[in-house]
Amino acid sequence: MDSLIPFLNALDSFTNLQQAVLRSLEEDKKKATLICSLVGLSYNSIKLRYRNPLLWRINEIRLLANHYQLPTTAFTQFYSNLPLLITLLNGVSNSQRRQFSRMCGLKINQLSNRLEMDWSVSDVLRLRQGLTQLVNNSQ
């Protein structure tokens, strides 16, 4: 399970980036129309995301990080490490795989299907929670 720690670190980095973007957004709440044009969403969608930050998509976080001049290496690490994570998870025992799926609500084949998709922040947080518990339970 130590082989999952680098991916867990990448998820932690992404979570930190997401929180930094949300703090910057909070300071810019009055500029919702600018944010609309920046990420390509309607005003109502932006307002919904202000109320429920888990609705933000990873690519939207990346666009906002670029706008606020925050480093986006965590974004790149997340996507570049996904294929490796799937390979590692396929190598664990069936009971650990089921445990992981229960903890984060994602099956490994769903991770494979989502490689090319834009993930929601809630998906990333669930994945992080599941990996954290899997690593902690194996120690």
Side-chain angles (χ1 to χ4, degrees), residues 25 28-44 46-47 50:
L25 272 173
D28 259 358
K29 252 189 173 172
K30 294 181 180 170
K31 297 182 181 175
T33 54
L34 169 68
I35 303 302
C36 291
S37 63
L38 194 67
V39 295
L41 293 172
S42 71
Y43 184 80
N44 288 334
I46 295 296
K47 289 300 183 183
Y50 275 130

Side-chain angles (χ1 to χ4, degrees), residues 18-135:
Q18 178 240 346
Q19 290 170 350
V21 166
L22 292 178
R23 280 190 301 275
S24 298
L25 272 173
E26 193 61 36
E27 296 168 8
D28 259 358
K29 252 189 173 172
K30 294 181 180 170
K31 297 182 181 175
T33 54
L34 169 68
I35 303 302
C36 291
S37 63
L38 194 67
V39 295
L41 293 172
S42 71
Y43 184 80
N44 288 334
S45 294
I46 295 296
K47 289 300 183 183
L48 282 173
R49 281 167 170 72
Y50 275 130
R51 283 192 291 263
N52 184 358
L54 296 178
L55 294 175
W56 287 104
R57 310 295 291 176
I58 292 178
N59 282 319
E60 294 164 356
I61 295 293
R62 181 184 52 83
L63 290 169
L64 292 168
N66 284 332
H67 172 73
Y68 292 116
Q69 299 177 343
L70 297 169
T72 58
T73 53
F75 172 83
T76 307
Q77 287 174 340
F78 174 77
Y79 273 114
S80 64
N81 285 324
L82 266 178
L84 175 61
L85 173 67
I86 293 166
T87 302
L88 292 172
L89 289 172
N90 279 323
V92 301
S93 69
N94 286 338
S95 64
Q96 288 175 318
R97 219 173 309 154
R98 282 191 304 275
Q99 178 186 16
F100 168 79
S101 292
R102 276 193 313 273
M103 285 185 258
C104 67
L106 295 168
K107 293 182 180 174
I108 295 171
N109 62 348
Q110 288 174 313
L111 293 176
S112 297
N113 293 340
R114 290 183 177 193
L115 279 177
E116 301 300 321
M117 294 176 55
D118 188 16
W119 290 49
S120 72
V121 169
S122 65
D123 289 339
V124 174
L125 295 178
R126 286 188 350 232
L127 178 62
R128 181 175 172 247
Q129 177 185 0
L131 285 177
T132 300
Q133 290 177 358
L134 188 60
V135 168

